[in-house]
Every structure is written in structure tokens, then in C-alpha cells.
Amino acid sequence: MGNDRYITFALAKGRLAKKTLQIFEEIGITCDEMKDESSRKLIFTNEDLKLRFFLAKATDVPTYVEYGAADIGIVGKDTILEEGRKLYEVLDLKTGNCKMCVCGPQSAKELLMHHELIRVATKYPNIAKDYFYNKKHQTVEIIKLNGSIELAPIVGLSEVIVDIVETGATLRENGLTVLEEVCPLSARMVVNEVSMKMQNERINDIITRLRKYIDEKNA
Ligand code: PRP
């Protein structure tokens, strides 16, 4: 057992996967097979390094890792917090930096201050609940949406939203603003709990190389 086994990576599809693959390339974790964007293949292998990679919907990455279908996952802190899976978070990749915020029109600031019973639209009901109930001790009604969250206060579905703010452009263009900051976010590496023990040497080697690269880049 051990060294003839593949280490499997689950990467959150989209912007994050692109950035992650660039970083991996820099430290010699390569997968040429993955560069063919016209391919419909779902899983890619580097036979020499005994590595496998697959792309998954971000919210599914922690699930693959908890069950050990992937040894390692690269996914946003937002998804890790929201999914609440049993796994180890081992490294901050310091890329994809953004913030989880309570946003809305300026007029909603007053409602927040006075702990009014407001409606909160979000793709992240668990993060929103934890923030309002446990941190702010404020009762709110949480409405789960699946995208274009900024629409909610504009069309009157909710007073505020809990959502990711990166450049702030989406808010600005829709007359909304950050009212409160919930937490900073970035891409993280997560590891299956059993893999961490059984494949300790190989996984630690990957973590060490990644950490060195990230520290040097952010020095
Ligand atoms: C995210 C987020 C905001 C936007 C923030 O949405 O939900 O809408 O990006 O970025 P900005 O501050 O740079 O404007 P995404 O594009 O991922 O799609 P979604 O609306 O389907 O969630």
C-alpha cells in the first residue's frame, strides 16, 4: 500500500481551478491532459507522478473530500464554512481573496442597527445564520437563493443580502453597498482525514511545497 496509489485532487470548477492549476504548475504538479479545453473528459491523470485531478461544482468539493473520493480539495473558504463537512483545512492559498459581507441599500443600515426583523437573501444560509444568530444575536428571516443575489433587495425580496464581494463592482452598479463585513475569504486546501494519516508523507510534501511557493509569492 502507499506509493503505488494515486493521490486524487478535487478542484472547484471555474476561476479558482484556473488559478490553482497555475500555482500547481509552478511547483511541478502538472497535468497536461487538463489543458485541452475542448475535452469532455472529467478526470485527468499524471501517470508519472501518480496524481489524478477532477473538476467539480464548488459546493460538492467538500463532499468528495469528506468521503475520501478525493484526498485533497481546493475550494473557497465560503464553501467550506457553508458545507460544514468533516475534513482538515491545511493551507490558505492566498488567491481568490474576497469578503463575505452583509450588503444592501444604505437605508438598510438603520434596520440592522435597530435589530429589526429583516429578511436576508443569500446563497449561504448557514453562514448567514451563524452570523446573525450566534455572532450578532439578531433574529432574521433567511431566504435561500442560488445566484444573482443582488437582485433581492432591488426587487423587494429582502432588505439585505449576505454575499461575496470581490471588486465591489456588482454592488456599485446596482446601487448597493457593504453594510457589515462577515469574514475574509480565499482559496483553501482541504484534506480527507484518513488520507492525511495513510498518505501522510506524500500529502505533507505537497503542502510543504505549496506553502513555500505561497510564502515566497506573498513575501
Ligand atoms: C459573485 C458574488 C457577487 C459577485 C461579486 O457572483 O455573488 O455577485 O461575484 O464580485 P464583485 O464584487 O467583483 O462584483 P458570481 O459572479 O460568482 O455569480 P452568482 O451571481 O451566480 O453567484
Side-chain angles (χ1 to χ4, degrees):
M1 261 271 312
N3 285 342
D4 54 351
R5 184 186 173 284
Y6 284 92
I7 296 281
T8 302
F9 291 80
L11 310 179
K13 246 189 246 179
R15 278 176 282 188
L16 209 55
K18 282 210 175 104
K19 284 182 186 162
T20 305
L21 288 171
Q22 279 169 8
I23 295 176
F24 279 8
E25 186 105 31
E26 297 281 346
I27 63 162
I29 300 177
T30 52
C31 193
D32 290 335
E33 241 194 335
M34 235 169 156
K35 289 182 188 151
D36 177 8
E37 290 189 17
S38 64
S39 168
R40 300 287 295 166
K41 263 186 91 161
L42 294 172
I43 186 147
F44 306 91
T45 314
N46 180 326
E47 294 292 350
D48 299 333
L49 300 176
K50 287 274 180 269
L51 302 174
R52 291 200 305 175
F53 303 83
F54 65 84
L55 297 173
K57 204 173 150 66
T59 50
D60 294 337
V61 168
T63 312
Y64 284 107
V65 174
E66 181 185 283
Y67 285 91
D71 301 292
I72 295 174
I74 306 289
V75 65
K77 179 70 177 174
D78 52 319
T79 307
I80 297 171
L81 288 171
E82 183 62 25
E83 295 303 310
R85 292 282 176 180
K86 255 176 79 65
L87 32 78
Y88 294 130
E89 184 186 318
V90 297
L91 192 63
D92 183 346
L93 272 67
K94 299 190 179 159
T95 184
N97 299 324
C98 49
K99 278 183 190 143
M100 188 64 75
C101 298
V102 180
C103 311
Q106 196 63 47
S107 59
K109 188 124 206 166
E110 195 91 335
L111 303 174
L112 282 171
M113 254 170 48
H114 296 125
H115 282 215
E116 302 269 355
L117 179 55
I118 52 170
R119 287 190 290 197
V120 180
T122 185
K123 210 156 74 170
Y124 302 92
N126 292 327
I127 295 176
K129 260 181 229 160
D130 181 61
Y131 179 71
F132 280 104
Y133 296 168
N134 301 333
K135 295 212 179 79
K136 295 202 65 191
H137 305 289
Q138 180 168 358
T139 308
V140 295
E141 184 180 342
I142 289 165
I143 302 171
K144 162 90 200 252
L145 289 179
N146 297 293
S148 304
I149 315 300
E150 290 83 356
L151 260 178
I154 298 172
V155 298
L157 177 64
S158 69
E159 282 77 19
V160 299
I161 61 174
V162 167
D163 200 17
I164 293 174
V165 179
E166 193 175 356
T167 62
T170 312
L171 292 179
R172 269 195 305 279
E173 286 177 31
N174 292 289
L176 305 173
T177 181
V178 171
L179 301 169
E180 290 173 3
E181 288 186 8
V182 177
C183 62
L185 304 169
S186 57
R188 307 292 161 93
M189 175 170 160
V190 294
V191 179
N192 171 268
E193 292 183 343
V194 176
S195 305
M196 196 69 219
K197 292 190 184 75
M198 303 301 286
Q199 300 292 326
N200 188 268
E201 210 172 310
R202 291 179 73 195
I203 293 177
N204 262 330
D205 175 62
I206 294 168
I207 297 172
T208 306
R209 278 153 61 200
L210 263 176
R211 184 178 288 127
K212 185 166 176 283
Y213 172 77
I214 293 158
D215 286 349
E216 280 169 9
K217 215 175 117 194
N218 291 284

